[in-house]
Structure formats: structure tokens, C-alpha cells
């Protein structure tokens, strides 16, 4: 019988994965890349069905080396790349010739995008036909890099689910997200060793690299980092997110299926570690705890919510991680989560784009203020607004809002984003 600590330790590596560009870009390109591999003849038609949540995150974001080409351009690039084995890194290594071919394919009106309303937030279904009459369909659902099926002429070639049938994944069936308390995460984080957390180091290097790239003037960069750790965190995180949203062709290590989440977690933790000279173990534990807090919130509000996950989940997570590096106790971390959520609970996601960097920076500033209040022994009154004395109960209430009335909010957001995109084409 496995205990919660072993469950949490096995969960951690599954929360991170490398991605190039916005993960919704990778999701669409991954699906169409499979189609491009299966259909050998000239394509006659390709219909890409995507959720409104996927649509809003690709309409205004820059694709590495391709710019703002939208869902149709992303689908075209995936069809041409034909390297589905790379999953969310499917567009890595795109050549000038393939860029030219992508833009040519976009003009041929072969590809059609359909935005679906009654589907899972993570939903990409591609149905393609070639000139010989062969039909291939691919479905990605619930998780960005999990292919539910691949069909060729109605014959199922591949099926899959979010959980593999092995001991590691069976372990995760034991506990639901709301079976895990903040005390469970706190106690487990205390037990984590350098050997346990070594796998996080590649992601830290990867995300630090794009933060450095983002400081260059070809991207929408922040002012030069200052000596103060607050300012250094703001500058490095802003530069990392802005570079990614502006099409920087460097991969990042994502968290909970979002590259911006991964940057929002690892860049502040690493920057604080450098400035405050904390131990490597304390930094890695802080990153691990930040990933887990983000997981807790994301699983409650939904994979792609109307709430801004990079603010509500990942910024809350990274502020908790910074609290860990500053040796906060369990009660202080609980109060810190409540402070963050009381401020962040109204922040909406209006799509992946350059201004996400500003939204995350603003949230970090509020998070720093929350840390100051906790350190001054200030706290919110119990059961005030959506805040419960138990911060994990607050998260559950936030999830109730997200999966209720906020679904209608998301549909309105998609319509607004679509109208703006049509009125102001790139």
C-alpha cells in the first residue's frame, strides 16, 4: 500500500513536459502532424475541430519562426513537419522552406477551422481526406499530448487514455486531488532530497535560457534586472514569458500543460535562489511545491479555465515556493495562498499573447505584497468572501465558480477575441 508521500513523489515528474511555443500550438500541430504522416497522397480537405479554450490561446500568440499565423497556419505547419514523435515539440527545427510551404498551404483553402462549444476544454479533432478518398481522423482530448485515437478509413490504428497501465500510473488512481491537503504537500516537500528532485534541473536551465534570450532587444523586454530580488524576479519572469509569447524559438519546460506556468514557477524560484543564496535543495523543494500547488488549483478550476491559470494557479504556486525558500511554516503558507487567491480570483484568461507577461508581473507584485503581510503576521478574517480559513477549501470554492458560471464567461470571451481578431487582422 502506497502512502500519500509516495503518490506525490511519483506525481511530480508527470506535471512537467517540454514544449515549443504555446502548448495549444503544439496540441494542434501534433494532431495534424499525425495526419500528414498517415495520408500519403495530396490532401483534398482538412477540418480541425478545436475547443473555444484552444482557439483563444492560438489566435493572437506568435508561433516560433512563423509569427501570428492562427489556428489554420499552425495546422498547416504540423501537416508539413510530420514529426509527431516530438509531441509538443513538433514544430522544432522548422526550416525556411517549410515556413514558405506553410504560408502557401494556408492560401489554398484546404484547411478549415471549426470552434466547438460542447466539448472538453482540451479538444483537437482533425478529419482529413486525400485525393484518393482516404480519410484520417485524430483526436486529442483532456491532455495536450495524449492522443485518444488515430483512425484511417474508419479503422482504428491507435487508441490511448490519460493513464498508462503500469504501476506508476496505477498509483495515481489511489488519491483524488482533493484527498491531498496542504499539510500533505508540506510534509512531503520536507522529505524530498536532491536525488528525488534532480529531474527538475533540466527544466530550470531551459527556462533560464529563454529568460536570458528575452532580455535582448529583439523581444518585448523588461528593464535591466536590479540588485533587489523583487525587481530581478519581475524582470526575468517578464522577459521569459514575453519572449515565448513573441515567438522565441526556444523550448520551455511546462507545468501542468502550460509553458507560461512552467516559466512562472521556475524563473522566480531560480532568480531568488541566486539573489538570496539559498541552498540548491531549498530551491528545488520550492519549485516542487510550486508545481504541486499549481496542480491543486488547476485540477479544481479546470485544465483550460476562464480564469487565468498563470495568475490564479502558477503565480500562487510560485509565491508559495518563495515562501518555502524563506522558511515559512505551514500556517504562513496557508495564509499566503488565501492572500493570493483573494487578489487573483477575478483575473480572466483572454487568450495567450504578449500581454500575458504583464498580467503575470502584476500578479507577482501582489504576491510579494502578500508575503510582506504574512511576514508582518497580518491575516485575512476567516471565511471572508470566497476565502475559507483552510486555503485548500478556498481552492475548492474557486473551482466551483470556474466550472459553473465561468463556463459561460469563457464562451463570451471567445466571441470577443474572435470579433477583435476579425476587426484587427495581423
Amino acid at each position: 500500500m502506497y502512502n500519500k508521500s509516495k503518490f506525490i513523489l511519483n506525481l511530480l515528474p508527470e506535471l512537467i513536459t517540454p514544449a515549443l511555443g504555446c502548448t495549444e500550438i503544439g496540441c494542434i500541430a501534433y494532431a495534424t502532424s499525425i495526419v500528414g504522416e498517415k495520408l500519403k497522397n495530396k490532401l483534398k480537405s482538412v477540418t480541425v475541430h478545436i475547443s473555444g479554450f484552444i482557439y483563444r490561446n492560438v489566435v493572437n500568440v506568435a508561433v516560433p519562426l512563423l509569427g501570428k499565423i492562427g489556428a489554420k497556419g499552425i495546422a498547416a505547419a504540423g501537416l508539413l513537419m510530420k514529426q509527431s514523435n516530438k509531441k509538443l515539440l513538433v514544430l522544432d527545427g522548422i526550416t525556411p522552406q517549410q515556413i514558405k510551404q506553410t504560408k502557401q498551404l494556408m492560401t489554398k483553402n484546404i484547411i478549415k477551422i471549426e470552434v466547438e462549444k460542447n466539448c472538453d476544454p482540451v479538444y483537437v479533432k482533425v478529419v482529413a481526406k486525400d485525393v484518393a478518398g482516404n480519410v484520417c481522423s485524430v483526436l486529442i482530448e483532456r491532455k495536450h499530448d495524449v492522443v485518444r485515437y488515430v483512425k484511417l478509413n474508419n479503422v482504428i490504428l491507435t487508441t490511448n487514455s490519460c493513464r498508462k497501465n503500469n504501476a506508476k500510473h496505477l498509483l495515481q488512481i489511489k488519491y483524488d486531488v482533493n484527498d491531498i491537503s496542504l499539510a500533505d504537500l508540506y510534509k512531503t516537500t520536507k522529505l524530498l532530497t536532491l536525488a528525488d528532485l534532480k529531474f527538475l534541473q533540466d527544466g530550470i536551465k531551459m527556462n533560464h535560457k529563454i529568460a536570458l534570450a528575452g532580455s535582448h532587444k529583439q523581444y518585448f523586454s523588461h528593464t535591466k534586472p536590479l540588485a533587489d530580488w523583487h525587481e530581478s524576479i519581475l524582470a526575468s519572469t517578464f522577459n521569459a514569458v514575453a519572449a515565448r509569447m513573441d515567438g522565441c524559438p526556444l523550448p520551455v519546460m511546462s507545468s501542468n500543460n502550460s509553458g507560461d506556468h512552467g516559466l512562472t514557477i521556475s524563473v522566480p524560484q531560480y532568480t531568488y535562489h541566486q539573489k538570496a543564496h539559498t541552498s540548491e535543495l531549498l530551491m528545488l523543494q520550492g519549485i516542487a511545491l510550486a508545481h504541486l500547488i499549481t496542480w491543486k488549483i488547476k485540477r479544481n478550476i479546470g485544465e483550460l479555465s476562464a480564469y487565468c491559470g498563470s495568475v490564479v494557479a502558477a503565480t500562487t504556486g510560485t509565491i508559495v515556493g518563495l515562501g518555502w525558500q524563506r522558511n515559512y511554516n505551514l500556517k504562513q503558507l496557508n495564509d499566503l495562498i488565501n492572500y493570493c487567491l483573494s487578489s487573483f480570483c477575478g483575473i480572466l484568461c483572454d487568450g495567450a499573447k504578449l500581454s500575458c507577461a504583464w498580467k503575470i508581473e502584476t500578479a507577482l507584485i501582489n504576491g510579494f505584497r502578500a508575503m510582506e503581510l504574512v511576514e508582518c503576521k497580518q491575516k485575512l478574517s476567516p471565511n471572508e468572501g470566497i476565502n475559507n480559513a483552510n486555503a485548500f477549501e478556498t481552492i475548492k470554492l474557486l473551482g466551483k465558480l470556474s466550472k459553473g458560471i465561468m463556463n459561460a464567461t469563457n464562451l463570451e470571451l471567445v466571441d470577443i477575441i474572435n470579433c477583435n481578431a476579425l476587426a484587427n487582422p495581423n
Side-chain angles (χ1 to χ4, degrees):
M1 183 69 68
Y2 289 93
N3 59 26
K4 288 183 179 180
S5 291
K6 289 183 179 179
F7 164 79
I8 292 165
L9 179 59
N10 280 282
L11 170 66
L12 267 169
E14 295 198 357
L15 299 182
I16 64 172
T17 187
L20 180 70
C22 178
T23 45
E24 284 70 49
I25 292 172
C27 189
I28 294 173
Y30 180 26
T32 58
S33 183
I34 295 171
V35 168
E37 292 164 354
K38 300 301 180 186
L39 294 179
K40 308 299 183 183
N41 300 301
K42 184 178 178 180
L43 294 173
K44 183 178 180 181
S45 66
V46 180
T47 303
V48 184
H49 303 265
I50 58 176
S51 72
F53 295 87
I54 295 284
Y55 172 80
R56 75 172 185 207
N57 280 352
V58 300
V59 68
N60 287 313
V61 74
V63 180
L65 300 179
L66 285 162
K68 294 183 182 181
I69 56 174
K72 183 179 288 189
I74 295 163
L79 287 166
L80 293 166
M81 289 299 285
K82 300 180 183 180
Q83 50 180 15
S84 65
N85 60 302
K86 290 190 175 183
K87 295 189 174 183
L88 299 184
L89 294 171
V90 65
L91 298 184
D92 187 29
I94 192 167
T95 65
Q97 179 64 22
Q98 288 168 326
I99 292 171
K100 182 180 179 180
Q101 290 173 336
T102 295
K103 293 178 179 178
Q104 290 172 342
L105 184 55
M106 288 172 63
T107 65
K108 292 182 179 179
N109 295 321
I110 293 173
I111 303 169
K112 183 180 180 182
I113 305 297
E114 295 283 351
V115 180
E116 304 294 340
K117 294 184 176 181
N118 298 314
C119 60
D120 192 84
V122 179
Y123 182 88
V124 176
K125 180 181 178 181
V126 183
V127 181
K129 182 182 291 187
D130 66 19
V131 293
N134 298 302
V135 177
C136 180
S137 58
V138 175
L139 174 63
I140 292 177
E141 189 178 36
R142 290 185 60 196
K143 193 174 179 184
H144 293 67
D145 60 353
V146 172
V147 178
R148 290 296 186 178
Y149 65 71
V150 178
K151 295 180 183 178
L152 183 60
N153 297 327
N154 289 321
V155 176
I156 296 177
L157 303 181
T158 307
T159 59
N160 205 343
S161 67
C162 283
R163 303 193 187 279
K164 298 176 184 177
N165 188 24
N166 60 40
K168 180 179 176 181
H169 288 261
L170 288 174
L171 172 63
Q172 295 200 28
I173 297 172
K174 184 181 176 188
Y175 297 108
D176 179 75
V177 64
N178 288 322
D179 293 331
I180 304 299
S181 68
L182 181 58
D184 293 326
L185 297 185
Y186 183 86
K187 292 173 184 176
T188 300
T189 304
K190 283 281 188 187
L191 298 173
L192 295 175
T193 66
L194 283 172
D196 293 329
L197 300 173
K198 186 178 180 180
F199 69 93
L200 293 172
Q201 292 170 337
D202 287 342
I204 294 169
K205 292 175 184 177
M206 191 181 293
N207 291 357
H208 180 60
K209 188 174 181 180
I210 199 170
L212 292 176
S215 66
H216 297 160
K217 289 186 178 180
Q218 68 261 39
Y219 299 110
F220 187 75
S221 61
H222 203 287
T223 55
K224 185 179 180 180
L226 303 176
D228 178 79
W229 65 265
H230 301 86
E231 293 296 330
S232 294
I233 285 174
L234 295 178
S236 58
T237 307
F238 182 97
N239 290 342
V241 175
R244 181 170 179 265
M245 294 291 96
D246 209 21
C248 180
L250 289 175
V252 303
M253 187 61 73
S254 69
S255 174
N256 292 271
N257 298 311
S258 167
D260 281 2
H261 293 11
L263 294 174
T264 303
I265 288 170
S266 69
V267 174
Q269 302 304 314
Y270 179 70
T271 302
Y272 181 81
H273 161 68
Q274 287 188 309
K275 292 293 181 182
H277 305 291
T278 58
S279 70
E280 182 182 13
L281 177 59
L282 201 63
M283 174 194 67
L284 292 174
Q285 288 176 333
I287 290 175
L289 182 58
H291 283 303
L292 291 164
I293 295 294
T294 302
W295 165 76
K296 177 78 175 184
I297 297 172
K298 283 293 293 286
R299 286 294 297 271
N300 272 274
I301 67 174
E303 188 63 41
L304 286 170
S305 169
Y307 283 121
C308 175
S310 292
V311 169
V312 176
T315 302
T316 301
T318 206
I319 293 297
V320 170
L322 292 173
W324 181 271
Q325 288 206 61
R326 291 174 69 82
N327 297 307
Y328 284 19
N329 60 35
L330 179 59
K331 184 179 182 306
Q332 286 176 307
L333 295 179
N334 182 84
D335 292 343
L336 192 57
I337 293 170
N338 266 336
Y339 266 125
C340 286
L341 294 182
S342 68
S343 174
F344 302 160
C345 68
I347 307 299
L348 299 176
C349 175
D350 55 342
K353 61 210 175 306
L354 194 56
S355 62
C356 291
W358 171 241
K359 190 177 289 189
I360 291 167
E361 179 176 14
T362 304
L364 284 169
I365 293 169
N366 285 341
F368 297 157
R369 177 61 176 150
M371 294 175 72
E372 292 171 8
L373 292 170
V374 167
E375 290 178 13
C376 291
K377 296 182 169 52
Q378 300 293 319
K379 64 178 181 178
L380 294 170
S381 301
N383 305 321
E384 179 180 85
I386 71 161
N387 282 97
N388 187 283
N390 180 340
F392 273 25
E393 289 299 315
T394 304
I395 292 171
K396 287 168 68 174
L397 294 173
L398 195 67
K400 186 176 181 180
L401 279 173
S402 179
K403 294 175 181 177
I405 195 170
M406 296 301 286
N407 277 328
T409 301
N410 185 69
L411 294 176
E412 291 292 338
L413 282 167
V414 170
D415 287 342
I416 291 169
I417 292 166
N418 190 34
C419 288
N420 277 344
L422 292 173
N424 302 284
N426 296 314

